[in-house]
Amino acid sequence: MCLAIPGKLLTVDDHVITRVGSVEFGGITRQANLDLVPEAQVGDYVLVHVGFAISRIDEAEALRTLEILREMGELSEVEDGPASP
Amino acid sequence: MKYVSEFRDPILAQALTARIRRAVTRPWTIMEICGGQTHTIVRHGLDELLPRGVELVHGPGCPVCVTATENIDRALAIAARPEVIFTTYGDMLRVPGSSKDLYSVKARGADVRIVYSPADALEMARRNPEKQVVFFGVGFETTAPAHAMTLQLARKSGLKNFSMLVSHVLVPPAIRAILSSPSCRIQGFIAPGHVCAIQGYKEYEDLAREFRVPIVVGGFEPIDLLEAVAMLLEQLEKGSVVCENQYVRSVTRDGNRNAQASVREVFSVAPQVWRGIGMIPGSGLQFREEYKPLDAALRFAVDLTPAPEHPDCISAQIMMGLKKPWDCTAFATRCTPDLPLGAPMVSNEGACAAYYRYKRHTHV
């Protein structure tokens, strides 16, 4: 139920009472309500849950996490030697 | 898919399991709260990558599983009314009430429809002015803002034929209940990332301090969960008891303040009955006075005679982290996803359903 899917914000449409946008999830595009993420702009990735974007994904943080994990992996290979086949 | 495939990288998973193996010197028991995380762990076999003695137990974080039988019975009675179009999330249709489920009510002619979003139910009300459209909204803190915003939109638009039956549960009071139980064996928690995307994690910092237990806010992909487990085990090994955030790309300490404001405007905190567990103080949300006209429980009076849970079902002990699904004598025999005795066998996120799908042939 708490499943939230990351998708790319393609368009934004400011209605009178609500802000909606089309969000692409791996080839599928759906409308999502954007009122909870007023900072989200076209091109950003947002987490969408039951039709509502609940968070803008911080690209810099995502890259940093992956970079740290990759460095750590390389470091452990140096420490442990190559993995056995 | 961006932000999905990178976090399923097997090379990173190997590096993280090596980091975990280096950190661990003794047995530890960790609970992930959220059913979505349980599903990822069981589906990808992450628990089997951990050193012997490190046990992941599964918490009560499946809202479908913990929705009180009385609420399911109320939903069934409202759905059966001829003037009602009854809408809800797909997971809810097979949840057993006292004697039947929404599928069987639908089979007898009730207009029960699955929707992806509460906003779709609101749209249905606009298009069907001659019918009463009821949305059954269950969920944790992640989902409550979508329900609150839909109710705000319904109120603004003055629609008279839309109402919502709600069953909301809140995570921190449940962690408090688990930690306060004399039989608690949990030494660290993975906090639910999407709940924290809404609420932030200050409440979890308080829990870590008060109960002297480490907590790591975790994401939902395999790499997220392995990293969260590594962070927890490193804390446990050095005796640290703080709340850390692994899911930094989506969660901030303060959470989503717009979402919190929406929920606060529509709902207030109230005691809540959790199916299989019982009443937990301050663990639910009820309609505020000005939104009560949109409360389906008040709009439709129904007679309820709740029946006790099936005597074979041990879901309460599973959700409190005391037992595993295969400790249940009914698991995968008398209780299956097609014919569930208890709610954790219904939802994809229920621990029993996840074990049935991915592990029923692996445990002898």
Side-chain angles (χ1 to χ4, degrees):
Chain A
M1 277 292 308
C2 287
L3 187 70
I5 312 284
K8 187 177 185 178
L9 190 51
L10 297 180
T11 62
V12 173
D13 192 358
D14 284 301
H15 285 264
V16 181
I17 52 169
T18 190
R19 184 171 178 252
V20 295
S22 54
V23 182
E24 191 218 329
F25 309 91
I28 298 165
T29 303
R30 284 201 75 126
Q31 290 290 107
N33 182 302
L34 302 174
D35 284 340
L36 296 177
V37 288
E39 73 279 16
Q41 302 297 326
V42 168
D44 284 346
Y45 275 77
V46 288
L47 268 182
V48 177
H49 173 67
V50 299
F52 290 73
I54 59 167
S55 167
R56 187 182 75 85
I57 297 174
D58 187 328
E59 184 163 20
E61 287 289 6
L63 291 174
R64 209 162 66 89
T65 301
L66 289 168
E67 198 176 313
I68 290 168
L69 290 174
R70 282 193 192 114
E71 276 171 16
M72 185 196 71
E74 281 158 22
L75 194 65
S76 73
E77 265 178 38
V78 172
E79 282 173 355
D80 301 345
S84 49
Chain B
M1 248 173 96
K2 195 169 175 187
Y3 299 118
V4 174
S5 42
E6 311 95 293
F7 290 89
R8 293 183 180 177
D9 180 350
I11 307 283
L12 291 183
Q14 276 173 11
L16 279 163
T17 48
R19 174 173 154 192
I20 289 169
R21 275 196 298 275
R22 278 198 300 275
V24 171
T25 63
R26 61 206 127 134
W28 297 107
T29 303
I30 292 170
M31 175 181 273
E32 85 282 355
I33 293 290
C34 175
Q37 293 172 329
T38 302
H39 187 89
T40 303
I41 288 166
V42 180
R43 177 181 175 198
H44 294 273
L46 304 183
D47 47 345
E48 290 167 26
L49 297 175
L50 303 179
R52 192 178 289 271
V54 174
E55 189 185 1
L56 296 181
V57 294
H58 320 303
C62 160
V64 175
C65 305
V66 299
T67 298
T69 315
E70 186 186 327
N71 273 334
I72 305 289
D73 287 346
R74 191 182 301 281
L76 296 168
I78 294 173
R81 294 172 72 110
E83 75 276 28
V84 165
I85 298 175
F86 195 86
T87 60
T88 188
Y89 302 119
D91 275 9
M92 295 309 294
L93 267 71
R94 222 175 325 108
V95 180
S98 292
S99 62
K100 49 186 188 277
D101 59 23
L102 279 167
Y103 267 125
S104 58
V105 174
K106 183 177 167 68
R108 281 177 214 165
D111 192 347
V112 178
R113 305 186 195 181
I114 293 172
V115 290
Y116 158 69
S117 167
D120 297 342
L122 191 61
E123 185 55 32
M124 213 177 278
R126 281 197 192 98
R127 289 187 186 168
N128 295 276
E130 75 292 353
K131 299 289 266 189
Q132 282 288 329
V133 175
V134 179
F135 177 73
F136 186 20
V138 305
F140 278 87
E141 290 94 326
T142 317
T143 320
H147 299 160
M149 290 182 69
T150 303
L151 288 161
Q152 285 174 310
L153 286 170
R155 188 162 179 248
K156 266 186 209 152
S157 61
L159 273 178
K160 298 286 179 225
N161 67 328
F162 179 80
S163 59
M164 207 181 279
L165 181 65
V166 296
S167 181
H168 289 123
V169 276
L170 306 176
V171 172
I175 294 185
R176 185 174 291 278
I178 290 166
L179 284 168
S180 303
S181 157
S183 48
C184 175
R185 62 192 189 98
I186 313 302
Q187 293 161 299
F189 285 91
I190 300 175
H194 292 151
V195 164
C196 293
I198 300 294
Q199 291 296 108
Y201 53 87
K202 290 182 188 162
E203 293 168 284
Y204 298 84
E205 291 175 340
D206 294 343
L207 284 168
R209 241 190 323 270
E210 184 181 338
F211 289 93
R212 302 200 51 74
V213 62
I215 301 177
V216 173
V217 180
F220 288 75
E221 295 302 329
I223 297 302
D224 291 320
L225 285 160
L226 285 173
E227 190 182 21
V229 169
M231 290 164 78
L232 264 181
L233 290 169
E234 284 160 0
Q235 278 209 53
L236 286 163
E237 287 283 342
K238 64 179 183 206
S240 162
V241 286
V242 296
C243 177
E244 296 179 283
N245 180 17
Q246 178 277 328
Y247 201 26
V248 283
R249 65 184 182 279
S250 298
V251 172
T252 60
R253 185 166 180 261
D254 289 333
N256 185 324
R257 289 194 167 141
N258 295 322
Q260 294 163 19
S262 249
V263 172
R264 254 198 320 274
E265 190 197 311
V266 178
F267 301 115
S268 60
V269 172
Q272 177 78 20
V273 173
W274 295 52
R275 187 171 194 168
I277 294 175
M279 201 274 284
I280 302 179
S283 70
L285 296 172
Q286 66 184 9
F287 281 83
R288 285 195 188 277
E289 205 56 43
E290 51 276 41
Y291 280 87
K292 279 188 176 166
L294 292 164
D295 183 353
L298 298 175
R299 190 174 294 187
F300 303 97
V302 293
D303 285 330
L304 299 173
T305 44
E309 293 294 320
H310 195 285
D312 291 346
C313 181
I314 61 161
S315 60
Q317 293 167 74
I318 292 169
M319 289 189 289
M320 295 293 276
L322 301 173
K323 292 208 166 156
K324 289 284 179 84
W326 45 46
D327 297 325
C328 176
T329 57
F331 175 72
T333 53
R334 280 164 290 132
C335 182
T336 65
D338 286 336
L339 219 60
L341 295 184
M345 188 55 102
V346 174
S347 167
N348 243 340
E349 295 175 9
C352 300
Y355 273 54
Y356 183 87
R357 193 159 169 194
Y358 299 114
K359 278 183 182 286
R360 72 181 188 276
H361 299 303
T362 60
H363 185 75
V364 183

